[in-house]
Amino acid sequence: METYGKRDSMTPNMNYSRLKDSYLFYNIAQKTKTYLAEHPGTHLYRMGIGDVSLPLCRTVIDALHHAVNDQAVQESFHGYMPECGAPELRTTIAAYYARRGVQLAPEDVFVSSGASDELGDILDILGRDQRVLIMEPAYPAYVDANIIAGNEIIHAASSREDGFLALPDPSVHADIIYICSPNNPTGAVFSRAHLRAWVDYANKTDAIILFDAAYEAFIEDAEIPHSIFEIEGAKTCAIEICSLSKTAGFTGTRFGYTVIPQELMRGGLALNAMWVRNRTTKTNGVSYILQKGAAAVFTEEGQNEIHENIRVYKKNAAHLMAALDTLGIWYCGGKNAPYIWMQCPKNMGSWAFFDYLLHEIQVIGTPGEGFGSAGEGYFRFSTFGSPEDTEEAARRLVALLGK
Ligand SMILES: *Cc1c(COP(=O)(O)O)cnc(C)c1O
């Protein structure tokens, strides 16, 4: 047998050993389980989870059924789809942006299986050993994807003082900046002036902004940008990652889109062309059926129907906001986002407040500390739950905390 030179054994990506276990949702599940074991049959008011509860709208369901039937017939059968998305759908999504005055070429738009995939995968086209600025409290996947990629993370804390909207610090250099607006977990939204400050900073320092617009459809204030590309200069520094998960109930169906303007260059390379190469190498695209279902979201009927669902979640938000207003408790979010981020009363810690609400009024939320240390002392309510439960939870909050 041929022998090879002595060599250390294969090493996996050791960055995985640097990941911290995510205790957040595990802890919530354990505490809930223990409570139910001690109080069998108790109804819990669940407002912790960031997942939608309403089904897909009629127009989307019809389009999905129709597309399934297409696949049964020789004449309308589709095999592999173009890796970056069907040209008609890329055109439709570009037209969705044009309604807000953002001019995109269809080729700037890539269809995807969801935002989470893209938020991590996009790091493939950004070099190694990057310095990544993450505003905290933050969506936990930003941190973990960058630990796995071996990047250096700068944790930029925001607070009640800045309304949980950090501004750039000129003394801090970052290569990649994550911005999520409307924000998960805080529900805070970046104004035009705020986003302009970040775009100017990124253009000046050659950084790339990864803009997570998963909640854009929840914006109701006319002055709040839905897209980073509403800001002048963004096409030379930003990538936008979007999803139909929360806006159209696609969390279990899966569909998203990513915008990389052809103008975006770094190191003499066009990031759009690099992403085309990445997708054509690493994926074979999103299924014909899902692309048909997604296209239905962008029709007039589809838009009306998804906004009917969003209005249900907004009514939930209104009940919770009214309760916190009555109690005089500080919070942000709720108006342009499906999350409400409240300060825990009486200087309680996030987990202490979680236990207090569970034991006293059987209401479940998410402790702010789970989104980074900047979230300690805060608590997140999701407005995606059932209207009856949300209304009752709001009543119980007033009764408990107004004592
Ligand atoms: C839910 C969510 C997404 C959407 O992720 P999908 O993979 O498209 O379901 C993206 N970003 C944030 C901040 C979210 O909360």
Side-chain angles (χ1 to χ4, degrees):
M1 211 177 87
E2 199 175 341
T3 55
Y4 294 91
K6 190 169 151 42
R7 186 179 171 279
D8 288 340
S9 61
M10 177 271 169
T11 42
N13 179 350
M14 295 307 287
N15 293 323
Y16 280 77
S17 63
R18 294 170 51 217
L19 291 167
K20 290 203 191 82
D21 281 331
S22 171
Y23 290 115
L24 179 60
F25 291 103
Y26 176 78
N27 263 0
I28 292 173
Q30 286 306 106
K31 283 173 178 284
T32 306
K33 207 170 121 194
T34 306
Y35 181 83
L36 282 176
E38 288 165 2
H39 306 85
T42 308
H43 181 74
L44 298 179
Y45 300 87
R46 294 175 190 270
M47 293 189 299
I49 198 92
D51 193 359
V52 294
S53 56
L54 294 170
L56 292 174
C57 66
R58 192 69 248 161
T59 301
V60 170
I61 292 295
D62 288 347
L64 289 169
H65 280 302
H66 200 274
V68 169
N69 290 337
D70 285 349
Q71 292 295 69
V73 178
Q74 184 73 63
E75 288 69 36
S76 54
F77 170 76
H78 284 75
Y80 282 127
M81 297 294 288
E83 292 91 341
C84 302
E88 310 89 279
L89 182 53
R90 298 174 86 184
T91 304
T92 298
I93 296 171
Y96 179 70
Y97 276 84
R99 292 197 286 184
R100 297 216 165 75
V102 174
Q103 301 305 324
L104 298 176
E107 294 75 22
D108 295 342
V109 179
F110 295 83
V111 313
S112 77
S113 304
S116 299
D117 315 39
E118 304 281 291
L119 285 161
D121 288 352
I122 202 78
L123 298 175
D124 260 13
I125 60 167
L126 308 175
R128 294 288 165 100
D129 302 319
Q130 305 287 298
R131 296 192 81 198
V132 182
L133 189 141
I134 296 175
M135 292 171 213
E136 293 193 349
Y139 188 54
Y142 302 161
V143 175
D144 288 351
N146 280 285
I147 290 175
I148 290 171
N151 287 333
E152 179 193 344
I153 297 171
I154 307 164
H155 300 269
S158 61
S159 65
R160 176 177 165 173
E161 283 62 49
D162 59 24
F164 286 96
L165 296 165
L167 274 168
D169 175 350
S171 69
V172 174
H173 174 75
D175 302 304
I176 301 169
I177 300 161
Y178 280 82
I179 300 180
C180 178
S181 178
N183 191 271
N184 179 11
T186 67
V189 283
F190 281 83
S191 69
R192 203 167 287 277
H194 248 108
L195 286 182
R196 194 174 302 119
W198 281 106
V199 165
D200 289 348
Y201 168 82
N203 274 324
K204 212 173 285 168
T205 60
D206 241 15
I208 294 284
I209 294 174
L210 297 178
F211 190 76
D212 184 340
Y215 297 98
E216 63 84 15
F218 290 82
I219 294 173
E220 55 186 55
D221 287 351
E223 326 79 69
I224 301 293
H226 288 237
S227 162
I228 187 97
F229 299 116
E230 291 178 50
I231 309 302
E232 203 189 329
K235 283 188 177 177
T236 52
C237 67
I239 291 174
E240 181 157 298
I241 293 170
C242 208
S243 164
L244 296 186
S245 280
K246 315 301 168 32
T247 62
F250 271 62
T251 51
T253 305
R254 311 306 300 145
F255 186 88
Y257 50 95
T258 296
V259 177
I260 308 180
Q262 283 156 287
E263 294 90 324
L264 183 58
M265 308 279 298
R266 286 296 183 274
L269 296 175
L271 269 58
N272 179 291
M274 291 170 75
W275 193 237
V276 170
R277 191 61 195 253
N278 181 287
R279 295 292 86 179
T280 53
T281 306
K282 293 196 170 185
T283 83
N284 270 321
V286 173
S287 85
Y288 168 75
I289 296 163
L290 288 184
Q291 295 199 56
K292 284 293 185 190
V297 170
F298 296 95
T299 61
E300 199 182 327
E301 301 89 323
Q303 286 292 302
N304 289 338
E305 290 169 14
I306 68 161
H307 280 282
E308 268 170 42
N309 285 359
I310 288 173
R311 271 196 292 280
V312 172
Y313 300 138
K314 283 189 176 285
K315 258 192 210 148
N316 288 344
H319 285 299
L320 289 166
M321 290 193 291
L324 297 175
D325 287 338
T326 302
L327 292 163
I329 290 175
W330 187 90
Y331 66 93
C332 58
K335 186 152 193 288
N336 296 295
Y339 299 110
I340 292 170
W341 180 253
M342 64 172 281
Q343 186 155 36
C344 301
K346 299 170 192 147
N347 288 319
M348 257 190 243
S350 311
W351 281 107
F353 190 59
F354 175 91
D355 291 335
Y356 183 58
L357 292 189
L358 174 60
H359 285 266
E360 298 294 327
I361 57 173
Q362 294 74 53
V363 167
I364 298 178
T366 309
E369 199 196 335
F371 303 100
S373 55
E376 174 57 309
Y378 291 85
F379 202 72
R380 188 191 78 171
F381 283 124
S382 155
T383 65
F384 288 123
S386 91
E388 297 74 28
D389 278 8
T390 307
E391 225 181 311
E392 176 59 17
R395 261 197 296 276
R396 287 175 174 227
L397 275 175
V398 172
L400 176 70
L401 303 173
K403 276 196 291 213

